[in-house]
């Protein structure tokens, strides 16, 4: 375990930024927080979490895949892939770190997504433990400890110091590079913080939310539950929940004619949209109920069935805070799964 005085935190950031781009949560004028590149004077936000998750660093909202040059009937395919620069994402919460495990199983399973794999190779994740979880947090439901985040380096912030624990080879290399600003220490302060956070987590309203009714093998039991009609009846199909979700991985691929060739790119898509998976014969999910059910069955049944029981939700609470009609995965789990955890 190592620590850095908060008086030296800007020097720590500057040292990191010497060899890699550094990104961290910063406060916005509207009171929210978002990831931004660090530069001298930029202050690390104290917000619980960012509005959008950091998955954008590995799976961007829009991303060019290739270009086509056309001349008459001749078409030349241009490979635009290039080696990524090293970068550090600082201040990632435990729930968002876990979301990368979900995305890895999608994009790093053969055939591997070379765009995603390149960014994962060059990205270093410095996580930060939560000290004041919100009432919308339920990461514990999915086995995540907010006070013990994973990542290449785990960090804990106290009133006067930042404590750092390297977990991977990339993390140890980063700590070694910062050694002049760090000192070795015991983990007493960190353990005390963990105990305090555990007490807070035990008082949160969603602490008893359970996944017992969900998981692999539950398709036939849950698919035709009449509650889907009631739950989906007010859904706007706006896709907000999918765009702020750290584990959603659906995307569309489109071609754009620049007038001097064609760019093929991908962009995030949403299973809540009426044109999602639309093909020549039409759409295989014609109603909002079917689309609504697909989203939550994938999170709670289909994904864990195909991924060793890992759920495609990390309990970050973003959908609870941002859904315009307050319909979210917690309400689905309580209604469909018979959860009584209020």
């Amino acid at each position: 375990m190592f620590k850095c005085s908060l008086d030296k935190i800007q020097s720590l950031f500057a040292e990191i930024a010497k060899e890699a781009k550094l990104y961290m949560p910063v406060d916005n004028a509207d009171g929210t927080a978002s990831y931004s590149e660090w530069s001298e004077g930029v202050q690390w936000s104290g917000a619980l979490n960012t509005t959008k998750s950091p998955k954008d660093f590995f799976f961007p909202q829009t991303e060019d895949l290739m270009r086509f040059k056309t001349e008459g009937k001749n078409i030349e395919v241009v490979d635009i892939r290039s080696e990524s620069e090293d970068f550090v994402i600082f201040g990632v919460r435990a729930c968002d770190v876990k979301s990368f495990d979900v995305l890895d199983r999608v994009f790093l399973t053969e055939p591997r997504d070379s765009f995603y794999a390149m960014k994962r190779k060059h990205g270093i994740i410095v996580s930060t433990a939560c000290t004041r979880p919100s009432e919308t947090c339920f990461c514990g439901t999915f086995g995540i400890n907010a006070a013990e985040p994973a990542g290449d380096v785990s960090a804990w912030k106290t009133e006067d110091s930042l404590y750092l624990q390297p977990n991977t080879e990339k993390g140890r290399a980063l700590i070694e590079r910062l050694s002049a600003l760090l000192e070795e220490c015991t983990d007493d302060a960190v353990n005390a913080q963990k105990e305090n956070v555990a007490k807070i987590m035990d008082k949160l309203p969603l602490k008893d939310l359970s996944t017992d009714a969900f998981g692999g093998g539950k398709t036939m039991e849950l698919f035709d539950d009449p509650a889907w009609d009631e739950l989906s009846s007010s859904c706007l199909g706006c896709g907000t929940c999918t765009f702020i979700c750290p584990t959603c991985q659906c995307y569309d691929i489109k071609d754009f004619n620049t007038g001097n060739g064609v760019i093929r790119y991908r962009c995030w898509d949403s299973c809540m949209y009426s044109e999602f998976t639309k093909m020549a014969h039409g759409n295989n999910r014609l109603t909002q109920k079917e689309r609504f059910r697909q989203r939550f069955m994938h999170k709670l049944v289909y994904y864990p069935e195909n991924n060793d029981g890992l759920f495609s939700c990390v309990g970050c609470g973003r959908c609870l805070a941002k859904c315009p009609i307050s319909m979210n995965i917690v309400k689905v789990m309580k209604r469909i799964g018979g959860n009584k955890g209020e």
Side-chain angles (χ1 to χ4, degrees):
M1 183 75 68
F2 301 85
K3 74 174 182 178
C4 173
S5 168
L6 292 184
D7 293 337
K8 300 178 181 178
I9 194 71
Q10 288 295 321
S11 298
L12 187 80
F13 293 154
E15 190 63 32
I16 295 174
K18 282 182 180 179
E19 295 189 18
K21 286 189 175 181
L22 172 61
Y23 300 92
M24 65 179 60
V26 298
D27 293 325
N28 299 318
D30 61 1
T32 62
S34 60
Y35 283 92
S36 180
E37 184 175 355
W38 180 86
S39 59
E40 188 174 353
V42 169
Q43 298 297 312
W44 175 23
S45 172
L48 172 66
N49 221 333
T50 53
T51 301
K52 281 178 63 180
S53 82
K55 77 175 179 183
D56 228 332
F57 289 103
F58 304 111
F59 174 42
Q61 187 168 343
T62 60
E63 182 174 26
D64 290 349
L65 301 178
M66 63 183 71
R67 297 176 184 269
F68 302 95
K69 289 184 178 179
T70 59
E71 187 174 340
K73 295 183 178 181
N74 297 319
I75 301 177
E76 177 188 353
V77 180
V78 181
D79 186 349
I80 62 173
R81 288 175 295 183
S82 60
E83 191 76 12
S84 297
E85 294 182 312
D86 290 338
F87 62 96
V88 176
I89 316 172
F90 189 93
V92 182
R93 299 299 187 183
C95 52
D96 286 338
V97 176
K98 188 64 177 180
S99 74
F100 300 141
D101 291 344
V102 175
L103 297 176
D104 284 352
R105 292 180 181 233
V106 175
F107 293 108
L108 298 183
T109 299
E110 295 296 338
R112 288 161 60 93
D113 185 301
S114 59
F115 293 87
Y116 179 90
M118 182 64 69
K119 295 179 182 68
R120 285 292 273 145
K121 174 184 174 183
H122 287 274
I124 299 174
I125 300 167
V126 179
S127 63
T128 308
C130 295
T131 55
R132 46 185 182 83
S134 165
E135 291 187 353
T136 59
C137 295
F138 56 105
C139 61
T141 298
F142 300 99
I144 301 167
N145 188 339
E148 293 193 35
D152 297 301
V153 177
S154 300
W156 294 264
K157 184 181 180 183
T158 64
E159 291 184 359
D160 58 8
S161 299
L162 182 72
Y163 291 81
L164 300 162
Q165 177 64 54
N167 304 316
T168 67
E169 184 177 339
K170 288 194 291 186
R172 286 186 284 274
L174 178 62
I175 292 298
E176 177 64 26
R177 188 155 60 81
L178 302 173
S179 59
L181 294 166
L182 305 176
E183 62 179 277
E184 289 196 54
C185 62
T186 66
D187 56 3
D188 294 345
V190 169
N191 289 334
Q193 186 182 99
K194 290 178 182 179
E195 291 178 8
N196 290 333
V197 173
K199 293 176 182 178
I200 296 173
M201 296 295 291
D202 195 50
K203 295 178 181 178
L204 294 182
L206 299 177
K207 70 180 180 67
D208 293 324
L209 187 68
S210 171
T211 60
D212 290 349
F214 303 95
K218 300 286 187 175
T219 299
M220 299 307 295
E221 179 181 341
L222 301 177
F223 193 84
D224 292 322
D225 193 308
W228 291 116
D229 292 286
E230 175 192 340
L231 289 166
S232 64
S233 62
S234 57
C235 179
L236 304 175
C238 65
T240 297
C241 55
T242 57
F243 273 62
I244 61 173
C245 177
T247 66
C248 278
Q249 65 262 179
C250 293
Y251 62 86
D252 196 3
I253 295 179
K254 299 183 178 183
D255 289 343
F256 175 71
N257 190 338
T258 66
N260 189 34
V262 174
I263 297 175
R264 176 163 295 175
Y265 68 97
R266 67 177 170 193
C267 54
W268 292 354
D269 205 349
S270 173
C271 58
M272 304 296 265
Y273 293 162
S274 60
E275 293 190 352
F276 183 72
T277 68
K278 187 175 183 180
M279 295 169 278
H281 78 282
N283 197 322
N284 59 352
R285 299 187 190 97
L286 298 176
T287 66
Q288 196 60 33
K289 169 192 169 181
E290 292 172 295
R291 295 187 283 272
F292 183 93
R293 178 176 59 194
Q294 165 63 24
R295 169 171 167 75
F296 296 107
M297 286 289 283
H298 179 262
K299 297 282 186 192
L300 299 169
V301 179
Y302 307 152
Y303 191 93
E305 183 166 319
N306 294 310
N307 292 278
D308 305 314
L310 179 66
F311 288 92
S312 184
C313 177
V314 293
C316 68
R318 287 182 174 93
C319 60
L320 277 69
K322 296 300 180 181
C323 176
I325 51 97
S326 298
M327 179 50 65
N328 51 66
I329 196 168
V330 169
K331 289 187 176 180
V332 170
M333 292 175 72
K334 289 182 177 181
R335 184 72 174 85
I336 298 292
N339 266 276
K340 300 303 180 184
E342 295 296 328

